[in-house]
Amino acid sequence: MTLLAHPSASVPGATAPGPGAGRQVWRRLRTRPAAVAAAAVLALLVLLALAAPLLAQLAGQDPNAYHDELVDSARGGVPLGSFGGISGDHWLGVEPGTGRDLFTRLIYGARVSLLVALGATVVQVCVGVAAGLAAALGNRFTGGLIGRLTDVLIALPMLVIAIALTAVVPPDFPRPLLLILVIGLLGWGSTARMVRAQTLSLRGLDFVDAARLSGSSTLRIARRELLPSLAAPVITLAALHVPGNMVAEASLSFLGVGVKPPTPSWGQMLSSAQTWFRADPTYVLLPAGLLFVTVLAFTVLGDAVRTALDPRAGSRLRVGTRKERAA
């Protein structure tokens, strides 16, 4: 029996693991200016979110402190001053109606948005990988059951189901954790389908047959032989899940069933800003702009990771080096 060194040459989307492959992927990412710019934007955003308490202390502001003297009660609570009340004390102005500092609420809102998006992605990947492997390696009944469940999850309108689930949960349950569980447990279908398809392609290769003939159990084969080969497509899909999860969190918070006040969230800020877009457009543009830039950066970086892990697949966004676009 001829043993294959690794299945990456036979399965689309798979890249051989190891230090050499990692350096190769990193080299491809560095040659894509859009990917570098997206990574820099996300790194800055993550740094701001992690340093939110320190930055709030540096600015001398509490994100939940009301400042009635900074809003014009005669005009319904419009911030005093230009551009939403920007000043040396309030770097991005204040929130209409309450006078809360907008800069600190935005950076604390970034923590919630990133936490929910990344946490939901981890849940999607863990459940999806486990379900996909069970569907491909289990018996016919298990595979059929998981396959039908996956089809149902993909077909269901996730936002409608998420609204129903988050609305019936007791209000004292931590909302960020609730959003992570709801978005993650409703969104693992595409990961399971991809893992199942890749596993069915891999399990007939010689290196898997050799492991089976050597007496390895199904669990050991999945852990030692299949998971390393599935790493590249799973990482790619996870990177593309993050922006969708961030939009889902913002949508649920916008509709009033996500993060509850006084905890700040970009979606929640957009929900309250819809009544102020004429009187104070800054309050609308800042959270909307941050959400747009973040989702765009995650999308561009996820697409770059996909093409770096599988160079045979062209970029869907048509971004990269001039040489790559010309080819």
Side-chain angles (χ1 to χ4, degrees), residues 9-262:
S10 303
V11 181
T15 298
R23 287 193 296 268
Q24 200 173 35
V25 170
W26 173 242
R27 193 180 306 115
R28 292 174 191 147
L29 285 174
R30 286 190 302 172
T31 60
R32 300 175 65 85
V36 175
V41 169
L42 293 176
L44 177 61
L45 181 66
V46 171
L47 182 62
L48 289 174
L50 293 176
L54 180 62
L55 291 174
Q57 185 177 6
L58 181 65
Q61 300 296 332
D62 184 338
N64 298 321
Y66 285 60
H67 300 281
D68 297 331
E69 72 281 2
L70 299 178
V71 296
D72 188 353
S73 57
R75 298 173 57 197
V78 177
L80 298 172
S82 304
F83 302 104
I86 292 178
S87 64
D89 294 329
H90 302 279
W91 300 342
L92 295 179
V94 296
E95 187 179 58
T98 64
R100 292 181 292 193
D101 183 71
L102 196 52
F103 171 74
T104 55
R105 291 190 65 77
L106 284 171
I107 58 177
Y108 272 95
R111 303 182 99 187
V112 174
S113 297
L114 290 172
L115 174 64
V116 171
L118 296 175
T121 301
V122 171
V123 174
Q124 289 171 341
V125 168
C126 292
V127 177
V129 169
L133 286 172
L137 301 177
N139 54 37
R140 181 176 299 180
F141 174 78
T142 302
L145 179 63
I146 295 177
R148 299 294 79 76
L149 179 60
T150 300
D151 293 339
V152 169
L153 283 176
I154 293 176
L156 283 175
M158 190 192 78
L159 190 60
V160 176
I161 304 300
I163 291 173
L165 291 176
T166 52
V168 299
V169 174
D172 56 344
F173 191 89
R175 303 306 285 190
L177 177 59
L178 175 62
L179 292 176
I180 289 173
L181 294 176
V182 169
I183 296 173
L185 294 177
L186 290 176
W188 56 264
S190 58
T191 304
R193 177 175 288 182
M194 183 275 296
V195 170
R196 178 181 178 275
Q198 293 284 345
T199 304
L200 290 175
S201 300
L202 289 169
R203 71 177 186 178
L205 298 181
D206 289 349
F207 76 104
V208 178
D209 291 335
R212 188 180 296 112
L213 291 174
S214 67
S216 298
S217 64
T218 301
L219 182 61
R220 181 179 176 84
I221 291 174
R223 182 170 56 88
R224 298 289 298 273
E225 308 295 340
L226 296 176
L227 281 179
S229 301
L230 293 170
V234 168
I235 291 173
T236 299
L237 195 58
L240 296 174
H241 273 319
V242 175
N245 292 338
M246 183 167 285
V247 171
E249 181 277 325
S251 301
L252 291 172
S253 296
F254 179 85
L255 294 172
V257 293
V259 177
K260 299 294 185 183

Side-chain angles (χ1 to χ4, degrees), residues 274-291:
Q274 61 183 331
T275 59
W276 299 98
F277 69 95
R278 291 183 182 274
D280 185 14
T282 304
Y283 186 45
V284 183
L285 294 176
L286 285 174
L290 280 173
L291 182 62

